[in-house]
Amino acid sequence: MLTSLKLRFGRLRILIGTVVMDRITKAARLMIVSDLDHTMVDHHDPENMSLLRFNALWEANYRHDSLLVFSTGRSPILYKQLRKEKPMLTPDITIMSVGTEITYGDLMLPDDGWVEILNQKWDRNVVTEETSKFPELTLQAETEQRPHKVSFYVDKTKAQVVMKELSDRLKKRGLDVKIIYSGGMDLDILPQGAGKGQALAYLLKKFKNEGIPPVNTLACGDSGNDAELFSIPDVYGVMVSNAQEELLQWHAENAKDNPNVIHAKERCAAGIIEAIGHFKLGSNSSPRDIADFVECKVDHVNPGYEVVKFYLFYERWRRGDTDNCETYISSLKASCDPSAIVVFPSGAEKTLHECMHTLKVHYGDQKGKQFRVWVDRVLSTPIGSSTWLVKFDKWELAGDERCCCVITAKINVKGSGGSDGYTWANVQQKWLEGYEKKDDSTWLF
Ligand code: GLC
Ligand code: MG
């Protein structure tokens, strides 16, 4: 396992407890710890626009030196299901089942140290025995019952009384538990030391022990189980505009004078972007908000920005969202080495300039259809003084079909430090297993 990780990243490794974290070798500039349902993911936006805006911002400006942590109430099964349904990025760390399960990296290696801590004063059997005496409680799906989490549904009107009584009974049985009410319907019972806030505190302590505490941390949430994220010291917090009543009430009673926690004006991921701006944690300008990259000269200080911009243009061109204008294609061609080759997943080869020509004739071929492109896991490694090897996943959603290529590209720096832009040299593509495109004639590059 460790060897494969080492090969995959080919980088210095950092030992966090028993688990190896490869990517971050110095303090993260920003660590975002975000809830998923109704925070990162807006279930009322079928186009997923704010999520896609966040993704572009993260991969262009933060992925290379910051940490993305997802913190969800979902079990691993429901979390993986959500990832299949929505255009979500791959986080560096995943906290699941309301802070009772922590995993690292793409491989989701579990933190066994956390499990040991949670075993203290916890007896699942006693919890199920006592809860069975409450007819008001309806057990949630089997997938959501976890080693350190027992979950029910309970009516809003009965929640407070049930929680009080249950807490007394479990105390009498010698257990030290935490009962959390979320979304006006979910009731979770966890060990006292568990929860999203405790999991975050545990991670922060680990980073501190490694001598790399994040420079800034931003917690993001919308419901009851997110409340404790906002009481961890030295953490900025954003409750998205659509936050649930129980969270707003908790805030009014416990944190209303804390200027480091805001209630955003914007919904979901747009609220997260708003908070990055509000607390001045770094750039809050998503490449998706820039209408014209030819007109708007941004400092391309890292290759991630170039990759995001390149595929954003590709999406807009095929959607017919830009003008069908020769200048755009010429400018794109100018950012490609004339001899650069693209190796397709089939093994076929074309020059990048040929690909640009194909792109030109596909202007607007996805107009009026559901068509989105995003990149994930952009990882840039310098090779030589003015060349980067950039590895990333390029996702394409066309109608109901979602496919993905793992791409490795050689990108050269023009001028000094990328301020004059980049040129694309060779590009190698491989299907991500399970996400091959059936008819690959419309996979342009
Ligand atoms: C997620 C989980 C559920 C939990 C809820 C609130 O929806 O699937 O089990 O009760 O979050 O924490
Ligand atoms: Mg939520």
Side-chain angles (χ1 to χ4, degrees):
M1 194 78 102
L2 296 190
T3 331
S4 68
L5 264 177
K6 202 169 170 186
L7 284 177
R8 175 173 185 90
F9 294 98
R11 285 208 163 183
L12 276 175
R13 298 174 303 153
I14 289 222
L15 203 64
I16 297 191
T18 50
V19 177
V20 175
M21 273 292 292
D22 281 72
R23 237 174 35 71
I24 294 290
T25 54
K26 53 181 190 179
R29 176 163 58 100
L30 176 63
M31 176 158 97
I32 285 195
V33 182
S34 180
D35 168 53
L36 297 176
D37 295 289
H38 309 289
T39 302
M40 187 59 83
V41 175
D42 190 345
H43 291 285
H44 297 284
D45 173 16
E47 284 279 323
N48 301 304
M49 272 334 289
S50 61
L51 178 55
L52 289 167
R53 280 177 64 220
F54 176 85
N55 292 357
L57 175 64
W58 189 260
E59 296 298 332
N61 294 314
Y62 292 95
R63 176 66 86 176
H64 62 286
D65 64 359
S66 297
L67 277 174
L68 184 61
V69 181
F70 286 163
S71 182
T72 178
R74 290 183 180 233
S75 62
I77 288 184
L78 287 195
Y79 165 66
K80 286 172 192 163
Q81 191 172 314
L82 185 66
R83 289 197 60 184
K84 284 194 180 140
E85 291 162 7
K86 295 284 176 182
M88 287 160 58
L89 296 182
T90 306
D92 299 288
I93 303 175
T94 318
I95 302 171
M96 290 160 293
S97 311
V98 199
T100 64
E101 300 180 64
I102 303 178
T103 68
Y104 299 92
D106 312 357
L107 298 176
M108 298 183 68
L109 301 175
D111 188 322
D112 300 328
W114 184 234
V115 173
E116 265 166 49
I117 294 174
L118 299 187
N119 282 334
Q120 290 159 24
K121 288 204 182 172
W122 175 250
D123 187 334
R124 219 180 171 283
N125 295 334
V126 174
V127 176
T128 45
E129 195 188 311
E130 287 301 327
T131 47
S132 67
K133 297 172 187 160
F134 287 79
E136 301 91 336
L137 295 174
T138 311
L139 199 64
Q140 288 186 13
E142 195 53 44
T143 59
E144 300 317 279
Q145 312 303 335
R146 305 293 299 160
H148 299 95
K149 169 176 174 283
V150 186
S151 295
F152 300 90
Y153 297 117
V154 64
D155 196 90
K156 231 181 195 169
T157 55
K158 298 183 185 138
Q160 293 312 317
V161 178
V162 170
M163 281 165 77
K164 174 81 187 64
E165 224 173 284
L166 189 57
S167 160
D168 291 345
R169 283 197 187 213
L170 290 170
K171 212 175 271 167
K172 275 194 198 128
R173 298 284 310 264
L175 293 198
D176 195 7
V177 300
K178 188 179 263 179
I179 306 178
I180 305 179
Y181 193 56
S182 302
M185 60 192 260
D186 298 315
L187 187 135
D188 302 312
I189 305 167
L190 326 167
Q192 185 59 248
K196 291 187 176 189
Q198 294 311 309
L200 169 57
Y202 171 81
L203 284 178
L204 286 172
K205 197 169 146 207
K206 281 198 163 188
F207 281 117
K208 208 168 160 202
N209 289 345
E210 293 288 335
I212 50 165
V215 179
N216 286 305
T217 303
L218 173 66
C220 320
D222 78 297
S223 84
N225 67 14
D226 300 312
E228 52 175 59
L229 284 172
F230 303 123
S231 44
I232 304 304
D234 305 320
V235 169
Y236 292 104
V238 55
M239 304 181 291
V240 290
S241 68
N242 49 294
Q244 292 281 335
E245 202 181 300
E246 78 257 349
L247 180 63
L248 296 175
Q249 195 183 333
W250 173 89
H251 177 255
E253 287 164 11
N254 300 282
K256 92 177 172 313
D257 297 325
N258 181 355
N260 290 344
V261 176
I262 59 163
H263 183 194
K265 292 187 184 66
E266 307 261 5
R267 291 179 59 80
C268 301
I272 302 177
I273 299 176
E274 178 186 333
I276 294 175
H278 177 90
F279 295 120
K280 301 192 168 50
L281 304 177
S283 169
N284 64 337
S285 148
S286 170
R288 282 196 178 265
D289 300 335
I290 297 171
D292 188 339
F293 288 101
V294 178
E295 288 291 311
C296 169
K297 192 112 183 74
V298 240
D299 287 337
H300 306 130
V301 283
N302 87 87
Y305 200 103
E306 173 64 25
V307 171
V308 170
K309 189 187 80 168
F310 193 84
Y311 284 99
L312 190 53
F313 175 78
Y314 168 92
E315 176 196 290
R316 288 172 173 174
W317 184 263
R318 295 192 62 185
R319 287 176 59 90
D321 286 348
T322 59
D323 293 334
N324 186 353
C325 159
E326 186 59 40
T327 339
Y328 289 133
I329 292 288
S330 319
S331 136
L332 206 60
K333 259 190 169 162
S335 69
C336 299
D337 190 325
S339 62
I341 300 283
V342 179
V343 181
F344 286 85
S346 63
E349 292 186 10
K350 268 189 193 171
T351 67
L352 249 181
H353 276 189
E354 281 175 298
C355 292
M356 295 303 139
H357 183 75
T358 322
L359 180 63
K360 193 177 161 192
V361 300
H362 280 77
Y363 175 81
D365 72 331
Q366 300 294 326
K367 206 180 180 76
K369 297 184 193 157
Q370 189 180 30
F371 181 77
R372 292 289 172 193
V373 176
W374 68 97
V375 293
D376 182 23
R377 296 196 294 173
V378 180
L379 183 76
S380 315
T381 316
I383 45 166
S385 60
S386 58
T387 304
W388 291 88
L389 199 65
V390 190
K391 192 171 176 199
F392 55 95
D393 297 343
K394 178 217 163 187
W395 286 91
E396 209 173 282
L397 172 78
D400 292 337
E401 195 190 14
R402 219 171 115 160
C403 42
C404 179
C405 254
V406 180
I407 299 185
T408 311
K410 224 165 90 181
I411 297 184
N412 295 319
V413 181
K414 272 200 255 173
S416 59
S419 56
D420 296 332
Y422 292 88
T423 45
W424 288 67
N426 296 341
V427 178
Q428 175 107 34
Q429 311 185 330
K430 262 188 177 164
W431 293 123
L432 183 69
E433 213 184 308
Y435 290 99
E436 300 83 0
K437 195 165 173 67
K438 285 186 204 95
D439 166 19
D440 65 3
S441 65
T442 54
W443 181 270
L444 303 192
F445 56 84

